[in-house]
Amino acid sequence: MTVELPTMPMERQRLLDPPLEYHQLREDQPILRVRFPSGRVGWLVTRFEEGSQVFSDPRMSARRPRHDVPPEEGDDHTSDESGEEIDPTFVFMDEPDHSAYRRLLAGRFTPKSIQAKLQPYIDQIVTEHLDAIEKAGADGPVDIIEHLALPIPCLVICELLGVPYEDRDKFHHATEVMMDVSKPRAERSVGARWLQDYITGLVAAKKADPDSQGLLADLIRTSEADGSILTDKDLISIGVLLLFAGHDTTMAMIGLSTLTLLTHDEQRRFLQENPGKVGPAVEELLRYLTIVQFGLGRTAKEDLEIGGQQIAKGDLVVVAMPAANRDPRAFDNPDAPDFERAMTRHLAFGYGVHQCLGQNVARAELKTILPRLFERFPGLRLATPLEEVEMDTYGTNYGVRKMLVTW
C-alpha cells in the first residue's frame, strides 16, 4: 500500500508570516518526511537548533538537488542534479574546496571593507533616491519598490562587481524569470542563460581592459598575478551568483522591512526615536521576515541522527528557515517583531561555513535606508489597502513586487 506523504507547507495565510502549518509541525513533527514541490521526498526541519545542526554538520553536503521547483516530465528524482542551467559555484561545494574559493572573496565582504569601500557610495545613492521620491510624490503615490527597494541594491552590486548600471533592467528581469518557481524550467533557463552569457562577455571585456574596475576585475588580476585556482568558468559562476543574489535578496528585505514598519506602529516609533539602534532592529527584521521562503537543503553524506531522527545516506534534508527563526525554544514571542530582543544569532543568512557571503552588504543597505526613509518621510503610509500590496509568492525569495506609498 502506498502511503501518501504530506507536502511542504507553501501557502501563506498572512502577508508577513510563514505558513501557519509550521506552528504544529514544530511542536509535533519537527523533522518530518515530506514531498517537496519538486516531487522529491526528503526531510523537513522546522526547529532552530536542529536546523543549525543541519547547516553546521560536516556530514551534510552542500551539493543538493533543487527541491522548490515543480516536477517536469522526465525528471529523475534519484539524481543529485538540479536540472538548472546555472553552473554550481562554491556555495554547492564541500570542504576543503569550498573554503579555498571562499577565501578569495571573504576579505572583500567584511564589515570593515564594506564600511570603507561601499558605505560612502550607499550614503550618496540613498540620499539621491530619497530626493527623487520626494519629487515624484508631488504627483501622487510612489511605488517604493520601483523607486527605492530595487534600484539601491542594483546600484550597489553594480558598483561592487563593476557592472554597468544601464544594464540593470535586463539583469533584473533575467533574475526574476530564473527565480520564479511557477515558470517552466525552459523559461527559467532563458533567464539563467542570459545572465551567464552576460557575465561571460563582461569577464572577457574586463580581461581586455587593464584599467577595469570592480571585484571581478580584481579577481582577474589576482588570478593572473599568482596563478590562483580561478578559471574563466569560476569567474563567470561567481559573477552570476553575486549579480542575481546580491540584488534580489536585498530588494526583498527592503520591501518587506518597509511594509513591516508601515504596519507595526510600535516598531516604527522605536526606530524613529532610536535611529542609533538600527543594527539590532535590522537583525530582528532579518529573523522575523526570513525571505528564503522554501528553505535551504543539504544531502546526508552518511547515515546520521538529527534530533532523534535517523537520516540515511543520500537523504535530502531541508531547513525551513522561516519556521526555525520563529521557534519559541530559541526566541521569546517569536511571531512578534521586537527591536529590543536580546539575540545572539538567527538563520536568515544560513549558518556554518556556508553562511551568506554578502550578508554585510545587505546589512549596510538596510541600516542606511530604513532610518533615513522614515526620518525623511515621518508620515509615510500605504496609499492602498494592505490587501492590494502586490507580493512575490513564487520567487525563491519572498518579497513585495509593488507597494504604493504616500505621506
Side-chain angles (χ1 to χ4, degrees):
M1 183 178 69
T2 302
V3 177
E4 186 65 28
L5 289 172
T7 57
M8 181 182 189
M10 294 180 64
E11 184 177 346
R12 292 176 180 250
Q13 292 81 12
R14 302 169 185 162
L15 285 188
L16 297 174
D17 292 328
L20 297 180
E21 296 96 317
Y22 281 139
H23 285 275
Q24 201 65 37
L25 289 180
R26 272 196 312 261
E27 298 309 309
D28 299 339
Q29 297 174 295
I31 305 178
L32 176 66
R33 197 156 178 82
V34 302
R35 189 172 300 280
F36 292 105
S38 66
R40 185 179 295 272
V41 171
W43 300 96
L44 184 67
V45 179
T46 52
R47 288 184 184 173
F48 184 83
E49 286 304 323
E50 288 83 348
S52 300
Q53 181 185 339
V54 171
F55 285 144
S56 60
D57 195 320
R59 297 172 296 174
M60 302 299 296
S61 174
R63 183 172 177 79
R64 72 276 188 183
R66 287 198 68 168
H67 65 278
D68 57 343
V69 293
E72 297 186 16
E73 187 175 354
D75 280 354
D76 177 6
H77 296 310
T78 66
S79 170
D80 285 338
E81 299 303 319
S82 68
E84 300 301 309
E85 292 291 330
I86 291 293
D87 288 328
T89 64
F90 61 92
V91 299
F92 294 96
M93 295 177 182
D94 296 326
E95 300 304 318
D97 294 337
H98 167 262
S99 289
Y101 281 89
R102 191 177 177 105
R103 277 193 296 269
L104 296 172
L105 297 165
R108 296 167 170 85
F109 290 91
T110 63
K112 183 177 180 180
S113 179
I114 299 303
Q115 180 65 34
K117 297 180 179 180
L118 272 183
Q119 190 61 55
Y121 181 69
I122 294 172
D123 290 337
Q124 172 195 330
I125 60 175
V126 169
T127 296
E128 291 171 355
H129 282 76
L130 292 177
D131 290 345
I133 287 171
E134 185 169 12
K135 183 177 180 180
D139 298 323
V142 174
D143 180 5
I144 205 72
I145 307 303
E146 177 186 355
H147 286 81
L148 189 73
L150 173 59
I152 296 293
C154 283
L155 278 165
V156 171
I157 200 61
C158 286
E159 177 75 8
L160 181 65
L161 288 178
V163 171
Y165 183 60
E166 57 266 25
D167 294 335
R168 68 193 181 278
D169 290 341
K170 294 178 182 178
F171 71 69
H172 176 64
H173 175 69
T175 297
E176 278 191 316
V177 171
M178 184 183 71
M179 299 182 74
D180 187 341
V181 299
S182 69
K183 295 184 181 299
R185 181 177 300 150
E187 191 171 342
R188 295 197 310 274
S189 294
V190 171
R193 283 195 298 270
W194 188 94
L195 285 169
Q196 205 137 20
D197 291 344
Y198 177 78
I199 295 296
T200 299
L202 188 65
V203 167
K206 289 184 177 297
K207 281 195 160 191
D209 179 6
D211 298 322
S212 184
Q213 301 298 310
L215 187 148
L216 282 176
D218 290 345
L219 290 175
I220 290 168
R221 285 189 282 268
T222 299
S223 297
E224 292 174 344
D226 62 12
S228 72
I229 59 175
L230 289 181
T231 64
D232 281 3
K233 185 176 180 180
D234 294 328
L235 289 166
I236 293 164
S237 294
I238 290 170
V240 170
L241 171 69
L242 295 178
L243 183 60
F244 79 76
H247 84 276
D248 185 81
T249 52
T250 311
M251 176 188 71
M253 266 305 301
I254 294 169
L256 284 174
S257 297
T258 302
L259 180 58
T260 301
L261 292 167
L262 289 174
T263 54
H264 291 74
D265 292 340
E266 181 180 346
Q267 283 69 36
R268 174 178 172 161
R269 283 195 300 270
F270 178 89
L271 188 60
Q272 288 175 314
E273 295 169 3
N274 303 276
K277 295 183 179 180
V278 66
V282 164
E283 296 306 313
E284 174 66 352
L285 286 167
L286 287 163
R287 178 204 69 83
Y288 176 70
L289 297 169
T290 312
I291 61 170
V292 185
Q293 61 177 338
F294 306 125
L296 290 178
R298 296 289 185 264
T299 302
K301 294 192 285 187
E302 59 185 78
D303 294 349
L304 70 151
E305 180 183 307
I306 299 175
Q309 180 64 61
Q310 297 299 315
I311 308 295
K313 179 181 178 180
D315 279 359
L316 172 66
V317 183
V318 173
V319 180
M321 295 147 71
N325 272 339
R326 298 286 188 98
D327 187 349
R329 294 157 192 77
F331 309 100
D332 292 333
N333 193 19
D335 291 318
D338 179 2
F339 288 175
E340 296 188 273
R341 184 185 303 277
M343 177 170 51
T344 55
R345 64 181 178 89
H346 52 69
L347 297 181
F349 293 115
Y351 185 58
V353 296
H354 283 86
Q355 195 170 24
C356 175
L357 180 68
Q359 59 184 286
N360 292 318
V361 180
R363 286 187 173 103
E365 294 177 51
L366 288 162
K367 287 161 64 175
T368 305
I369 289 171
L370 295 178
R372 292 180 61 180
L373 174 64
F374 287 93
E375 177 186 20
R376 184 71 169 267
F377 306 107
L380 195 72
R381 64 186 186 275
L382 290 173
T384 66
L386 181 60
E387 56 270 19
E388 293 182 16
V389 175
E390 187 178 340
M391 308 301 292
D392 180 1
T393 58
Y394 296 109
T396 303
N397 298 311
Y398 183 64
V400 184
R401 287 190 180 274
K402 184 176 182 179
M403 180 165 59
L404 296 177
V405 297
T406 188
W407 54 90

mmCIF file of all heavy atoms in Angstrom, residues 154-179:
data_model
loop_
_atom_site.group_PDB
_atom_site.id
_atom_site.type_symbol
_atom_site.label_atom_id
_atom_site.label_comp_id
_atom_site.label_asym_id
_atom_site.label_seq_id
_atom_site.Cartn_x
_atom_site.Cartn_y
_atom_site.Cartn_z
ATOM 1 N N CYS A 154 20.567 47.227 -6.807
ATOM 2 C CA CYS A 154 21.146 47.098 -8.145
ATOM 3 C C CYS A 154 22.378 47.983 -8.293
ATOM 4 O O CYS A 154 23.415 47.562 -8.817
ATOM 5 C CB CYS A 154 20.119 47.460 -9.214
ATOM 6 S SG CYS A 154 18.889 46.178 -9.542
ATOM 7 N N LEU A 155 22.273 49.219 -7.826
ATOM 8 C CA LEU A 155 23.410 50.132 -7.903
ATOM 9 C C LEU A 155 24.581 49.618 -7.083
ATOM 10 O O LEU A 155 25.743 49.691 -7.511
ATOM 11 C CB LEU A 155 22.989 51.519 -7.413
ATOM 12 C CG LEU A 155 22.263 52.408 -8.413
ATOM 13 C CD1 LEU A 155 21.591 53.571 -7.706
ATOM 14 C CD2 LEU A 155 23.223 52.924 -9.482
ATOM 15 N N VAL A 156 24.294 49.104 -5.895
ATOM 16 C CA VAL A 156 25.363 48.651 -5.011
ATOM 17 C C VAL A 156 26.090 47.450 -5.607
ATOM 18 O O VAL A 156 27.325 47.389 -5.604
ATOM 19 C CB VAL A 156 24.813 48.327 -3.604
ATOM 20 C CG1 VAL A 156 25.874 47.639 -2.743
ATOM 21 C CG2 VAL A 156 24.352 49.611 -2.914
ATOM 22 N N ILE A 157 25.344 46.475 -6.124
ATOM 23 C CA ILE A 157 26.011 45.290 -6.674
ATOM 24 C C ILE A 157 26.742 45.650 -7.964
ATOM 25 O O ILE A 157 27.808 45.076 -8.261
ATOM 26 C CB ILE A 157 24.998 44.133 -6.893
ATOM 27 C CG1 ILE A 157 25.754 42.802 -6.992
ATOM 28 C CG2 ILE A 157 24.138 44.358 -8.115
ATOM 29 C CD1 ILE A 157 26.538 42.425 -5.778
ATOM 30 N N CYS A 158 26.224 46.605 -8.738
ATOM 31 C CA CYS A 158 26.941 47.062 -9.926
ATOM 32 C C CYS A 158 28.255 47.731 -9.533
ATOM 33 O O CYS A 158 29.297 47.501 -10.160
ATOM 34 C CB CYS A 158 26.078 48.036 -10.729
ATOM 35 S SG CYS A 158 24.725 47.254 -11.638
ATOM 36 N N GLU A 159 28.208 48.560 -8.510
ATOM 37 C CA GLU A 159 29.421 49.217 -8.021
ATOM 38 C C GLU A 159 30.421 48.199 -7.512
ATOM 39 O O GLU A 159 31.627 48.296 -7.779
ATOM 40 C CB GLU A 159 29.049 50.206 -6.901
ATOM 41 C CG GLU A 159 30.220 50.906 -6.238
ATOM 42 C CD GLU A 159 30.828 51.998 -7.094
ATOM 43 O OE1 GLU A 159 30.251 52.320 -8.157
ATOM 44 O OE2 GLU A 159 31.885 52.523 -6.704
ATOM 45 N N LEU A 160 29.941 47.209 -6.785
ATOM 46 C CA LEU A 160 30.820 46.202 -6.196
ATOM 47 C C LEU A 160 31.491 45.345 -7.268
ATOM 48 O O LEU A 160 32.700 45.099 -7.228
ATOM 49 C CB LEU A 160 30.023 45.323 -5.239
ATOM 50 C CG LEU A 160 30.773 44.217 -4.510
ATOM 51 C CD1 LEU A 160 31.810 44.796 -3.567
ATOM 52 C CD2 LEU A 160 29.801 43.337 -3.735
ATOM 53 N N LEU A 161 30.699 44.882 -8.237
ATOM 54 C CA LEU A 161 31.219 43.961 -9.249
ATOM 55 C C LEU A 161 31.883 44.662 -10.422
ATOM 56 O O LEU A 161 32.689 44.066 -11.131
ATOM 57 C CB LEU A 161 30.082 43.079 -9.785
ATOM 58 C CG LEU A 161 29.531 41.996 -8.874
ATOM 59 C CD1 LEU A 161 28.394 41.270 -9.558
ATOM 60 C CD2 LEU A 161 30.617 41.013 -8.481
ATOM 61 N N GLY A 162 31.523 45.941 -10.639
ATOM 62 C CA GLY A 162 31.994 46.614 -11.837
ATOM 63 C C GLY A 162 31.102 46.333 -13.030
ATOM 64 O O GLY A 162 31.569 46.151 -14.155
ATOM 65 N N VAL A 163 29.793 46.301 -12.795
ATOM 66 C CA VAL A 163 28.794 46.036 -13.838
ATOM 67 C C VAL A 163 28.165 47.363 -14.259
ATOM 68 O O VAL A 163 27.797 48.164 -13.399
ATOM 69 C CB VAL A 163 27.701 45.079 -13.300
ATOM 70 C CG1 VAL A 163 26.554 44.966 -14.293
ATOM 71 C CG2 VAL A 163 28.292 43.710 -13.007
ATOM 72 N N PRO A 164 28.029 47.634 -15.547
ATOM 73 C CA PRO A 164 27.382 48.879 -15.986
ATOM 74 C C PRO A 164 25.934 48.959 -15.477
ATOM 75 O O PRO A 164 25.134 48.064 -15.728
ATOM 76 C CB PRO A 164 27.427 48.783 -17.519
ATOM 77 C CG PRO A 164 28.537 47.823 -17.815
ATOM 78 C CD PRO A 164 28.515 46.830 -16.697
ATOM 79 N N TYR A 165 25.597 50.050 -14.817
ATOM 80 C CA TYR A 165 24.271 50.167 -14.214
ATOM 81 C C TYR A 165 23.176 50.234 -15.271
ATOM 82 O O TYR A 165 22.028 49.842 -15.011
ATOM 83 C CB TYR A 165 24.212 51.406 -13.310
ATOM 84 C CG TYR A 165 22.889 51.565 -12.600
ATOM 85 C CD1 TYR A 165 22.431 50.579 -11.725
ATOM 86 C CD2 TYR A 165 22.086 52.680 -12.809
ATOM 87 C CE1 TYR A 165 21.215 50.712 -11.066
ATOM 88 C CE2 TYR A 165 20.875 52.824 -12.156
ATOM 89 C CZ TYR A 165 20.443 51.840 -11.292
ATOM 90 O OH TYR A 165 19.233 51.974 -10.647
ATOM 91 N N GLU A 166 23.516 50.712 -16.472
ATOM 92 C CA GLU A 166 22.481 50.813 -17.509
ATOM 93 C C GLU A 166 21.938 49.451 -17.922
ATOM 94 O O GLU A 166 20.900 49.367 -18.594
ATOM 95 C CB GLU A 166 23.018 51.551 -18.738
ATOM 96 C CG GLU A 166 24.254 50.951 -19.358
ATOM 97 C CD GLU A 166 25.542 51.598 -18.838
ATOM 98 O OE1 GLU A 166 25.524 52.136 -17.709
ATOM 99 O OE2 GLU A 166 26.552 51.567 -19.580
ATOM 100 N N ASP A 167 22.607 48.378 -17.513
ATOM 101 C CA ASP A 167 22.129 47.021 -17.825
ATOM 102 C C ASP A 167 21.211 46.454 -16.748
ATOM 103 O O ASP A 167 20.801 45.294 -16.821
ATOM 104 C CB ASP A 167 23.322 46.068 -18.008
ATOM 105 C CG ASP A 167 24.169 46.421 -19.218
ATOM 106 O OD1 ASP A 167 23.634 47.046 -20.150
ATOM 107 O OD2 ASP A 167 25.373 46.097 -19.217
ATOM 108 N N ARG A 168 20.877 47.268 -15.736
ATOM 109 C CA ARG A 168 20.165 46.760 -14.560
ATOM 110 C C ARG A 168 18.810 46.172 -14.904
ATOM 111 O O ARG A 168 18.419 45.130 -14.347
ATOM 112 C CB ARG A 168 19.999 47.866 -13.525
ATOM 113 C CG ARG A 168 19.054 48.985 -13.942
ATOM 114 C CD ARG A 168 19.159 50.209 -13.047
ATOM 115 N NE ARG A 168 18.226 51.252 -13.439
ATOM 116 C CZ ARG A 168 18.450 52.116 -14.424
ATOM 117 N NH1 ARG A 168 19.551 52.035 -15.151
ATOM 118 N NH2 ARG A 168 17.569 53.051 -14.714
ATOM 119 N N ASP A 169 18.031 46.805 -15.793
ATOM 120 C CA ASP A 169 16.699 46.297 -16.106
ATOM 121 C C ASP A 169 16.775 44.906 -16.728
ATOM 122 O O ASP A 169 15.959 44.028 -16.435
ATOM 123 C CB ASP A 169 15.969 47.257 -17.041
ATOM 124 C CG ASP A 169 15.578 48.558 -16.367
ATOM 125 O OD1 ASP A 169 15.533 48.579 -15.115
ATOM 126 O OD2 ASP A 169 15.340 49.555 -17.075
ATOM 127 N N LYS A 170 17.783 44.694 -17.579
ATOM 128 C CA LYS A 170 17.931 43.404 -18.238
ATOM 129 C C LYS A 170 18.309 42.317 -17.236
ATOM 130 O O LYS A 170 17.733 41.224 -17.234
ATOM 131 C CB LYS A 170 18.975 43.500 -19.346
ATOM 132 C CG LYS A 170 18.573 44.394 -20.503
ATOM 133 C CD LYS A 170 19.684 44.475 -21.537
ATOM 134 C CE LYS A 170 19.313 45.415 -22.668
ATOM 135 N NZ LYS A 170 20.414 45.547 -23.662
ATOM 136 N N PHE A 171 19.298 42.607 -16.359
ATOM 137 C CA PHE A 171 19.694 41.534 -15.446
ATOM 138 C C PHE A 171 18.671 41.320 -14.343
ATOM 139 O O PHE A 171 18.526 40.214 -13.818
ATOM 140 C CB PHE A 171 21.133 41.691 -14.922
ATOM 141 C CG PHE A 171 21.397 42.791 -13.933
ATOM 142 C CD1 PHE A 171 20.886 42.756 -12.647
ATOM 143 C CD2 PHE A 171 22.252 43.829 -14.270
ATOM 144 C CE1 PHE A 171 21.176 43.755 -11.729
ATOM 145 C CE2 PHE A 171 22.557 44.824 -13.351
ATOM 146 C CZ PHE A 171 22.013 44.793 -12.077
ATOM 147 N N HIS A 172 17.907 42.367 -13.998
ATOM 148 C CA HIS A 172 16.845 42.142 -13.011
ATOM 149 C C HIS A 172 15.729 41.295 -13.607
ATOM 150 O O HIS A 172 15.226 40.371 -12.955
ATOM 151 C CB HIS A 172 16.276 43.460 -12.512
ATOM 152 C CG HIS A 172 15.120 43.281 -11.575
ATOM 153 N ND1 HIS A 172 15.247 42.665 -10.359
ATOM 154 C CD2 HIS A 172 13.799 43.586 -11.707
ATOM 155 C CE1 HIS A 172 14.069 42.602 -9.761
ATOM 156 N NE2 HIS A 172 13.177 43.151 -10.563
ATOM 157 N N HIS A 173 15.370 41.573 -14.844
ATOM 158 C CA HIS A 173 14.330 40.763 -15.498
ATOM 159 C C HIS A 173 14.784 39.311 -15.620
ATOM 160 O O HIS A 173 14.008 38.380 -15.339
ATOM 161 C CB HIS A 173 13.998 41.325 -16.875
ATOM 162 C CG HIS A 173 13.035 40.479 -17.650
ATOM 163 N ND1 HIS A 173 11.706 40.348 -17.298
ATOM 164 C CD2 HIS A 173 13.220 39.672 -18.740
ATOM 165 C CE1 HIS A 173 11.108 39.532 -18.140
ATOM 166 N NE2 HIS A 173 11.994 39.095 -19.011
ATOM 167 N N ALA A 174 16.033 39.107 -16.020
ATOM 168 C CA ALA A 174 16.554 37.741 -16.136
ATOM 169 C C ALA A 174 16.528 37.034 -14.789
ATOM 170 O O ALA A 174 16.198 35.847 -14.703
ATOM 171 C CB ALA A 174 17.978 37.767 -16.698
ATOM 172 N N THR A 175 16.847 37.755 -13.721
ATOM 173 C CA THR A 175 16.824 37.178 -12.378
ATOM 174 C C THR A 175 15.410 36.795 -11.975
ATOM 175 O O THR A 175 15.174 35.709 -11.434
ATOM 176 C CB THR A 175 17.403 38.174 -11.358
ATOM 177 O OG1 THR A 175 18.774 38.418 -11.671
ATOM 178 C CG2 THR A 175 17.308 37.620 -9.936
ATOM 179 N N GLU A 176 14.450 37.688 -12.230
ATOM 180 C CA GLU A 176 13.051 37.394 -11.903
ATOM 181 C C GLU A 176 12.573 36.124 -12.599
ATOM 182 O O GLU A 176 11.924 35.268 -11.985
ATOM 183 C CB GLU A 176 12.160 38.570 -12.324
ATOM 184 C CG GLU A 176 12.122 39.714 -11.341
ATOM 185 C CD GLU A 176 11.028 40.693 -11.682
ATOM 186 O OE1 GLU A 176 10.881 41.033 -12.879
ATOM 187 O OE2 GLU A 176 10.303 41.127 -10.772
ATOM 188 N N VAL A 177 12.894 36.003 -13.876
ATOM 189 C CA VAL A 177 12.472 34.833 -14.643
ATOM 190 C C VAL A 177 13.132 33.577 -14.086
ATOM 191 O O VAL A 177 12.489 32.535 -13.885
ATOM 192 C CB VAL A 177 12.819 35.011 -16.133
ATOM 193 C CG1 VAL A 177 12.593 33.714 -16.902
ATOM 194 C CG2 VAL A 177 11.976 36.136 -16.741
ATOM 195 N N MET A 178 14.433 33.660 -13.826
ATOM 196 C CA MET A 178 15.190 32.495 -13.367
ATOM 197 C C MET A 178 14.707 31.996 -12.010
ATOM 198 O O MET A 178 14.707 30.791 -11.734
ATOM 199 C CB MET A 178 16.675 32.845 -13.291
ATOM 200 C CG MET A 178 17.582 31.692 -12.908
ATOM 201 S SD MET A 178 19.307 32.210 -12.749
ATOM 202 C CE MET A 178 19.248 33.173 -11.242
ATOM 203 N N MET A 179 14.291 32.908 -11.121
ATOM 204 C CA MET A 179 13.956 32.537 -9.752
ATOM 205 C C MET A 179 12.469 32.321 -9.515
ATOM 206 O O MET A 179 12.059 31.998 -8.405
ATOM 207 C CB MET A 179 14.497 33.603 -8.789
ATOM 208 C CG MET A 179 16.004 33.748 -8.860
ATOM 209 S SD MET A 179 16.681 34.955 -7.713
ATOM 210 C CE MET A 179 16.555 34.086 -6.160
#
